[in-house]
Amino acid sequence: VESRWGRSRAVKVEEKRRETREDVGVCGSKDAQVRSRVAYANGLFQVVWQDSRNLYPKGFDLYGAQLDSTGQLKTSTEGEAIITRSGNQSVPDLAFDGTHWVLVWQDDRNKDAKGSDLYMARLGHSQAKPKGSDAEGVVVYSGAEDQRNPAVACNPKAGKCLVVWTDARHKTKLDPGDIFAARVDVSTFKVLDPKGVPLAKSSKWHDFVAVTAQGSAFVAAWSTYIQIDQGMVEAALVVP
């Protein structure tokens, strides 16, 4: 899935030939659909993105669409609203926990007071609407300074999801962000590490974290900058 400025699109790649077969319009709404993410489970692809159609005066919203296993769009070409409250909801990511899509995002509802926070919600598998109690979002972490660029992976075998993000709570002039993580219990949808757990905390600048499930654990990887034009990729195995 890619976001072109003003459009979100998907392409299907033939497994045997490794060739792109078709380019599918996922959302053709006006304005911009950007920062798209996609996950697959039980015959459905779920796409989510940051949408600017209501940017003024509300801010960015989160929209989504579904495709079947053949790559055909199942939802409206305008996209389906997922999270549309006032203030920016942006930088989404999602994973499947065995029953629901788990959506995480960066949320600016408290930005003027203390910076961006992280929220999450469970979405139905075949109809990607927030579960009733999740409609306003569930706090992952809401602390001082910005928490940004979240990513999520779920491990049904372990009964846990892992949310990772860049965190500015200890920022300095030369170190604007560290990498933090929090476990989420799949059955209760409760955050098990309400203050977050540091994965990378040093005088260096850490950002752009990704995470995936591996066996009964998780692997997170991120960029570490030694200076503005010199960096490396680091990773950690997280056992829930």
Side-chain angles (χ1 to χ4, degrees), residues 78-101:
E78 294 296 300
E80 303 286 339
I82 298 177
I83 304 291
T84 59
R85 61 165 289 119
S86 295
N88 290 325
Q89 295 90 49
S90 60
V91 199
D93 195 25
L94 81 162
F96 190 67
D97 70 2
T99 303
H100 305 95
W101 306 107

Side-chain angles (χ1 to χ4, degrees), residues 49-71:
W49 64 85
Q50 174 182 316
D51 197 296
S52 68
R53 72 186 72 185
N54 300 313
L55 182 60
Y56 302 104
K58 285 176 73 268
F60 290 114
D61 296 321
L62 300 181
Y63 274 67
Q66 290 191 333
L67 297 88
D68 64 22
S69 59
T70 69

Side-chain angles (χ1 to χ4, degrees), residues 109-206:
R109 68 185 73 181
N110 299 313
K111 187 171 180 61
D112 291 343
K114 55 183 178 178
S116 299
D117 300 320
L118 301 180
Y119 280 74
M120 63 182 181
R122 291 164 294 185
L123 312 178
H125 175 256
S126 59
Q127 291 187 330
K129 297 294 183 182
K131 192 172 179 177
S133 58
D134 300 352
E136 289 295 304
V138 175
V139 174
V140 177
Y141 183 74
S142 177
E145 304 295 344
D146 286 335
Q147 290 79 50
R148 62 184 187 272
N149 296 338
V152 63
C154 293
N155 195 322
K157 290 183 179 179
K160 303 289 190 299
C161 296
L162 188 72
V163 183
V164 295
W165 66 91
T166 303
D167 197 299
R169 71 182 80 176
H170 302 303
K171 73 175 183 179
T172 66
K173 184 176 181 180
L174 299 178
D175 173 21
D178 299 318
I179 302 300
F180 274 70
R183 298 166 300 155
V184 178
D185 185 83
V186 168
S187 61
T188 63
F189 208 52
K190 299 294 185 183
V191 177
L192 301 177
D193 308 293
K195 294 184 179 180
V197 176
L199 299 184
K201 181 181 174 184
S202 69
S203 59
K204 299 180 179 66
W205 171 19
H206 312 285

Side-chain angles (χ1 to χ4, degrees), residues 8-21:
S8 286
R9 306 187 68 83
V11 295
K12 183 176 181 182
V13 179
E14 288 286 356
E15 183 176 355
K16 293 182 179 179
R17 298 182 180 180
R18 300 181 183 273
E19 297 175 354
T20 299
R21 200 181 80 185

